[in-house]
Amino acid sequence: MNKMNRTAMRIAKANSLDVVVTSEKVNEDNWKDVKYMSATEEDVDVVKAMEEERLVVMVNESVSDPRSNDWLWKEVNASYQHKRLANGVETINIPAVTPGLNGLEVSTKEFTGYVLRENYSLQLSSLREAFSSAFENEFGEEGFSLTHLKYAVVKQEGSSQPFSLLKLSYASVAQKRVGDCDGLVVDSVFNNQSTLGTVDFLNKVDFKLSSFAKVKGDKAVVPLDKTVTRVRLNGSSSYQLSVLDNFLPVIGIEEKLFKVYDKEGNIETIKVPYYYGRDGRIIAVAPVDFTVFVRQSVKVSQFSNDASIEFVETEQLMERAATDGSVFFDGGLMDEIEEELEVGRKLSAIQMRLHFVEKGLAHRVNKLRKDLGADIFLFDGSVKGDITPYMMGERGDFGLNVLNVNRKPELKEIGKLSRQGYTNIFNSKEVQEQILNASKSIWDDVFNHDIDAIKQVLGAEDDFDIQELVDVDDGVDNLTKRLFTPNPETFLKSDTLKKKLTDYLRSISSSFTNGNFVYLDDTSIRYLAVDIESIFEYMKEGYLGVHEDFVSKKGIKPERALMNKVLSEQSRGLADGESVLVRFPNLHKNEIRKVSMAYTEDDFYDGKVGLNRYMRAGAQHMFDGVIMFSLWDMNPEGMSGADFDGDTAMVIQDESVTSNFEQQPLFLDYSLVQNESGEYDFVDGCPFTSDLTPSIEEVLNQEELETASKYNFQLDSGWKASFDLEQLTDDNNELLSVIDSLMRANLMSTLKGNDIGVMTNVLATVTEAKMASKAQARTAWICGQQYSANGKTEKASDMEEAQKYFLSCVTGFEKLENLLAVGIRWEIDAAKHGGAYRERMPFINVLLNGLEGDAKTKVSYLKELETKFNIALQPLFGNYTKG
């Protein structure tokens, strides 16, 4: 059995189905005779396989051109595309549907692609790697992957018109982040079924080009990557509310003035438009975030002209967008939302979307309408485009959707911390073992069917309540949890339900037993926010930005945070003590923050007044399920660059964690880069880039180029499309068709694989090696002390040298950890900058790809890298560096 056949066997076993793989183009004449490889029997007939509706994967690279006129984008979103696949095939000659300016054109073409069983939910990402390597090895098509498969042919059961065409489409945000580009399929297009073309779809969902285009002289400039992200996110799973159904059309606009500080301390005045809806509601849209200028000591990578890299701490005056992704909702509006959602409790925060142009975390601010004159106050960080074209629309429904809601605080809360998280927190294997052993006691209670213990474990598995409101496909596990939660005593009386629950709990415990995670007491998941109360107080004074050198400070002091907590069955209050904060994915210990909880008047700049204000707000459920940070530090941003549009963190108050973790320097995504004059520039993000934007001729076909030339289209650096400003309208389908083609080309360019997963594994290995070196250094020290006490000076000297060596490994591994953490941050956007940073960090390619040459050459190069960057590498390549 060859490698392709073995690959098919693995996939078949993993998915409990038969697999037939063929490399030949299939048509009406030869489909019964094509060569094949079967996952079950090598002599099985392809006809029989098709009759039994087995999965047949076929490949034809001729349909791989993303500029083809056949390209089709449909409105189906990522949440349910996989459920729309069908079954069988008899011929490949099928009607292809091409979107045109005047509708759809149908022509018969020959295609190859996936042929799938009915109702089979295909996880394409699991197939990609296996088939990619198999195709390359078996058929010599170097670099071939499933991204070439643009089509799927399916059969409509019981129909005289059996064929429909599926086409791979835009990836979801999560898939794009990990470079998983082949996982989505668009809606079925039957040759006897009317459907929407791309431009029709954009018009149907009320996409307005004018909302995303920026004016630059006599040109309109559209940032394609940002624009298409908004279109994609508009299709994410959510629950649509009716509270703004009658807001439009706007009946009036008023501008109010606010003051902001600039970096030098000068005060500027900005205008904030207030839109008055016909339903009496008012929406304010600030053109800026609430901005704070604050001095921070930060740890950054320093790149010098001699190619060296060091880590230094530097104090910088930082410009902080404290409301990046935040929205304020008046308490009355939140009450209406609670009623419509029927959640049965006060909500303090909802993750929401407002049409294409706004997405953020909306916070309850009870007197927003009374004190600031608005029911909704939008800040710039949550508004992704110009909202004016939508405010000026005539539709009554403004499209307010809820994605998630805040968790409900509980008296007893536990959380799951992954192996990567607890490895980064705990500095020794001994402490890790203590934590793992402490977690085991929970499972003793669970399998004795202790209701409180079971609730704790299930609570750590729960999703947000909003998932109960959207159209999700509940599995047996979710159903088991939901049946148990309301009446656990009755549930456990049923032997059948009790067994289902036990089976589910055992599946969780097996992962725990393998050390994949630990359970921690006094741990919760919270939304991140910055001192909403103080921001609101400054706004009431007319400020939308402050500078620490020129204002009287308010609110929570630096290095503190605040959250509400259930203290007993009868009482709630502010949490005290210390908290360790972990945001996922946690790459490095420097991304973990430790803060003191603000709960006394000494923790607030405004003393007792501030404390009382927060205690009142907490009693009114203003920040349930939220942890609020000081205006005057950047701890949230230190957790992998968190913002405030719904990002969450695990808040750990378990003393076994807080007592074992030391606060790390603030590690933000900034660098010092030496310029030609020898000075160091303070740079945000990856400072090393290469422009990957193609020419417009590379991404448009001839017909599209002719259309583009009428509008003087250009494709500029950073995927910015520009055209004549006078042509910018929202009802020009010809213009929109070119923009759409460019957006799709942009997406195809960014859907590239990256090495985040491998680099994260390497980082975990380096962390383990560092901990092992620490243990070996301690062992050498103990042995040296014993030898010295026994008068064995020569052996004591050997142990001293061994200790120095292992300590040098610890230092080298710590620096390598920091460098890898920086590299992983930049690798996320590798499709944008082309991974140019690796030229300055060549050891990353060595860690990912190994070395070439004989052992002597390899050792020599490793030593060179170790000396140049002051890192430890040789212990990781011990198989050929010994001696």
Side-chain angles (χ1 to χ4, degrees), residues 349-406:
I350 61 170
Q351 197 175 5
M352 45 78 71
R353 184 179 65 239
L354 195 61
H355 222 292
F356 276 106
V357 291
E358 197 285 332
K359 178 179 177 289
L361 184 66
H363 296 275
R364 172 187 288 274
V365 180
N366 280 338
K367 295 183 179 181
L368 183 66
R369 177 70 180 252
K370 177 178 179 294
D371 292 335
L372 290 181
D375 297 281
I376 297 176
F377 200 104
L378 303 176
F379 297 93
D380 184 59
S382 69
V383 180
K384 311 303 181 182
D386 183 4
I387 203 169
T388 305
Y390 294 99
M391 288 293 191
M392 296 296 100
E394 296 182 357
R395 295 194 315 147
D397 176 10
F398 201 47
L400 176 60
N401 293 268
V402 178
L403 285 71
N404 278 318
V405 301
N406 65 278

Side-chain angles (χ1 to χ4, degrees), residues 258 367 371-372 533 535-543:
F258 285 84
K367 295 183 179 181
D371 292 335
L372 290 181
E533 287 291 303
I535 292 174
F536 187 47
E537 290 297 312
Y538 280 122
M539 290 174 66
K540 288 193 293 184
E541 295 174 7
Y543 289 96

Side-chain angles (χ1 to χ4, degrees), residues 239-260:
Y239 183 83
Q240 185 163 353
L241 297 170
S242 63
V243 293
L244 293 183
D245 278 0
N246 298 312
F247 179 80
L248 298 179
V250 169
I251 61 174
I253 304 174
E254 177 186 7
E255 290 185 334
K256 296 188 179 183
L257 301 181
F258 285 84
K259 295 172 288 187
V260 298

Side-chain angles (χ1 to χ4, degrees), residues 39 57 80 82 101 177 213 325 429 495 503 578 585 590 650 676 737 797:
V57 178
Y80 62 93
H82 289 171
L101 296 180
R177 188 176 181 87
K429 290 285 188 182
D495 291 338
D503 290 344
E578 293 182 315
N590 284 345
M650 177 175 284
E676 294 181 358
S737 69
S797 177

Side-chain angles (χ1 to χ4, degrees), residues 51 72 107 121 129 157 265 372 523 592 600 611 658 695 805 860:
E51 288 174 350
L72 182 65
S107 59
S121 179
E129 183 176 351
E157 188 172 0
L372 290 181
T523 299
I592 301 172
T600 72
L611 174 61
T658 58
S695 67
Y805 167 74
S860 176

